[in-house]
Amino acid sequence: MLTNTAIAKASAREKDYALFDGDGLYLRISTKGKKKWLIRSFVGGRERKVVIGEYPVMSLQEARRERDDRKMKARTGVSIRNKTVTFGDVFARWLKKKEKAVSPDHYKIIKRRIEMYLLPYLANRPVAEISRPELLEVLQHPIERGLIDTARRTGALARSILDAAADKGEVALNVAADLSRSLPEWEVRNFKSAFDPREVRRLLLAIDCYPRQIVRYALRMVSYTFVRRSELRRATWAEIHKDEWHIPVVHAKKKRIQIVPLSRQALEILDAMRRIAQIRWKGQPFEDKPVFPSTRNTPSGSPYMGISAMEVALKWLVVHVPAPDTPPLIDLHGFRHMASTLLHEHHWDHEAIERQLSHLKRDKTEATYDKSKLLPLRRRMMQWWADYLDAVKEGRVDSEDVGMDDLGQYRET
């Protein structure tokens, strides 16, 4: 029996050769490296060879399905395609329900992940015939590229899709159940290096060097406000109220309005972005336009910055900024982790930090407490944080032992 790995590794030789799968199906590799699927059969005692497709346009699973379909037709005159439900069929049904249950950004991510890592191998496979070893083999593709997290998340999506098939009685057993125990462990990302002011300084200086202006401003805003990526990408000018950013329920992860006090530095970034908006939408109202718009025309026509634009920028900096100024590798969530850790180390109020991170659970007294204490305290805390980052970038804070606790003006009640 052939495997996807064996097929991918097969290369050209001096003469054409074949890799056999079984029941007449084989793959012929030419001297030029082209790979074609053929079915070998005997009709009236005479050998017959038929080319049915070319790899990788036709996957191993699709070739097997074509072979089985031809055999069924030859015996009964009826195609198995009329009797089976494929993985692609279940996926299409599952996706319609998922679209209503998740955010637009999350919907795009899971759809793209399945289209990249599952459908090329399983789309035309009868869902009842998919085995656990076959599914694990499919997930080896992202694993071999070092994408452990992607493989595990894709496996979870496969489990969810096959659950939908099980609910309809299309499979007797979900072969993807508890799949995670058969996959490599999650990658552990350590952001501790970004807690050392020397590392933070390299990161902030590198961000200032990033060539794409709007993405550069967006990364600076994330560093000062430590909001979530979705909250920043979806921010519109209508959300900005003088020195506060009111993130609406529709954009906030916790499904409640989140108030972000804006430091002097954050307001300077908004002033720069407002000038860009006035040029981009000259003579037009732009209250409903994104604060950090897309820098290029996208196929979808979305005005928002690309979902991976800032993550790509952070990786770009690690590759292109030479030593000894190379910044630490950090993702956008790392800014939230960094802010939480350093604010706690400098003895800021825990509840104020958690509320600014939008971690606190809603209760009956939250709104009153927020108005009477948390919001004014958070306002001072956010200005301290912005000033702290500037001090780090300017080299005035050069070790974990040197802080800014002497600035008592921030502690006033």
Side-chain angles (χ1 to χ4, degrees), residues 46 55 97 102 139 188 217 225 249 256 266 290 299 302 334 339 347 353-354 356 367 379 386-387 395 409:
R46 298 182 63 180
Y55 181 88
K97 289 186 177 180
V102 300
L139 293 176
V188 177
Y217 281 135
T225 61
V249 172
R256 64 183 176 196
S302 172
H347 313 296
I353 296 170
E354 290 296 284
Q356 195 55 54
R379 192 182 305 282
D387 290 343
Q409 59 183 330

Side-chain angles (χ1 to χ4, degrees), residues 13 21 47 76 89 105 115 136 154 163 183 197 235 252 267 293 304 316 319 323 330 341 352 363 369:
R13 299 178 184 174
D21 184 62
E47 183 181 41
T76 67
D89 295 332
D105 283 347
E115 289 173 344
L136 287 170
T154 303
D163 273 343
L183 297 171
L267 290 171
Y304 299 105
W316 185 94
V319 173
I330 187 173
T341 300
D363 58 40
Y369 186 64

Side-chain angles (χ1 to χ4, degrees), residues 181-375:
R181 64 181 176 82
S182 302
L183 297 171
E185 290 299 319
W186 292 99
E187 296 178 48
V188 177
R189 301 182 182 182
N190 188 355
F191 299 109
K192 187 173 182 179
S193 63
F195 301 157
D196 185 328
R198 290 164 293 190
E199 295 287 342
V200 176
R201 182 171 189 263
R202 288 204 291 269
L203 175 63
L204 298 175
L205 289 173
I207 288 173
D208 284 347
C209 296
Y210 189 66
R212 292 175 60 189
Q213 184 184 44
I214 293 178
V215 178
R216 182 171 69 247
Y217 281 135
L219 286 172
R220 291 182 62 194
M221 180 63 85
V222 168
S223 69
Y224 287 132
T225 61
F226 45 92
V227 295
R228 295 181 175 89
R229 174 176 59 182
S230 60
E231 294 168 346
L232 183 130
R233 286 185 61 247
R234 298 276 176 180
T236 65
W237 287 105
E239 298 174 19
I240 308 301
H241 302 270
K242 295 184 179 180
D243 61 351
E244 291 182 354
W245 173 8
H246 294 189
I247 300 174
V249 172
V250 69
H251 296 169
K253 183 177 180 179
K254 296 298 183 181
K255 301 306 178 188
R256 64 183 176 196
I257 294 175
Q258 166 73 345
I259 298 176
V260 180
L262 296 170
S263 63
R264 180 183 67 259
Q265 293 87 335
L267 290 171
E268 289 173 358
I269 293 172
L270 291 176
D271 285 342
M273 291 307 305
R274 187 174 286 105
R275 289 192 292 272
I276 292 174
Q278 289 168 346
I279 295 172
R280 174 167 291 199
W281 294 291
K282 187 175 182 180
Q284 304 176 39
F286 54 82
E287 286 77 9
D288 62 337
K289 304 295 185 184
V291 176
F292 298 96
S294 172
T295 57
R296 62 187 66 181
N297 293 325
T298 60
S300 64
S302 172
Y304 299 105
M305 178 186 296
I307 194 169
S308 60
M310 288 181 285
E311 297 279 12
V312 168
L314 292 170
K315 293 176 181 177
W316 185 94
L317 293 173
V318 174
V319 173
H320 290 85
V321 176
D325 300 319
T326 306
L329 178 60
I330 187 173
D331 66 12
L332 288 176
H333 190 76
F335 286 99
R336 293 170 62 78
H337 192 189
M338 179 173 71
S340 176
T341 300
L342 293 177
L343 286 169
H344 277 103
E345 286 184 357
H346 286 85
H347 313 296
W348 283 95
D349 182 81
H350 170 73
E351 289 184 80
I353 296 170
E354 290 296 284
R355 185 63 183 87
Q356 195 55 54
L357 289 163
S358 190
H359 284 169
L360 289 181
K361 296 180 179 179
R362 176 177 290 280
D363 58 40
K364 293 180 180 179
T365 62
E366 179 186 331
T368 302
Y369 186 64
D370 196 26
K371 289 179 181 178
S372 64
K373 179 184 175 184
L374 281 185
L375 188 55

Side-chain angles (χ1 to χ4, degrees), residues 7-50:
I7 294 170
K9 290 182 177 180
S11 57
R13 299 178 184 174
E14 292 183 1
K15 295 182 179 180
D16 291 0
Y17 67 100
L19 298 176
F20 293 91
D21 184 62
D23 288 339
L25 176 66
Y26 67 96
L27 186 71
R28 184 174 68 199
I29 297 92
S30 72
T31 55
K32 294 183 178 180
K34 289 190 175 182
K35 303 173 183 179
K36 293 187 177 181
W37 292 109
L38 290 90
I39 295 177
R40 179 173 177 254
S41 60
F42 291 88
V43 180
R46 298 182 63 180
E47 183 181 41
R48 182 184 178 190
K49 298 178 181 179
V50 179

Side-chain angles (χ1 to χ4, degrees), residues 65-118:
R65 180 166 169 75
E66 182 65 27
R67 174 198 61 196
D68 295 343
D69 190 58
R70 288 173 180 254
K71 282 194 169 188
M72 178 66 77
K73 276 185 177 180
R75 288 199 300 267
T76 67
V78 178
S79 171
I80 62 172
R81 297 180 196 275
N82 296 329
K83 297 182 177 181
T84 59
V85 176
T86 67
F87 183 87
D89 295 332
V90 181
F91 164 68
R93 189 177 69 220
W94 174 89
L95 191 63
K96 287 182 179 179
K97 289 186 177 180
K98 206 68 175 176
E99 185 175 12
K100 300 176 182 178
V102 300
S103 68
D105 283 347
H106 188 52
Y107 172 80
K108 290 178 183 177
I109 291 172
I110 62 176
K111 182 174 182 290
R112 177 63 174 162
R113 186 170 287 149
I114 294 168
E115 289 173 344
M116 286 183 67
Y117 299 110
L118 293 179

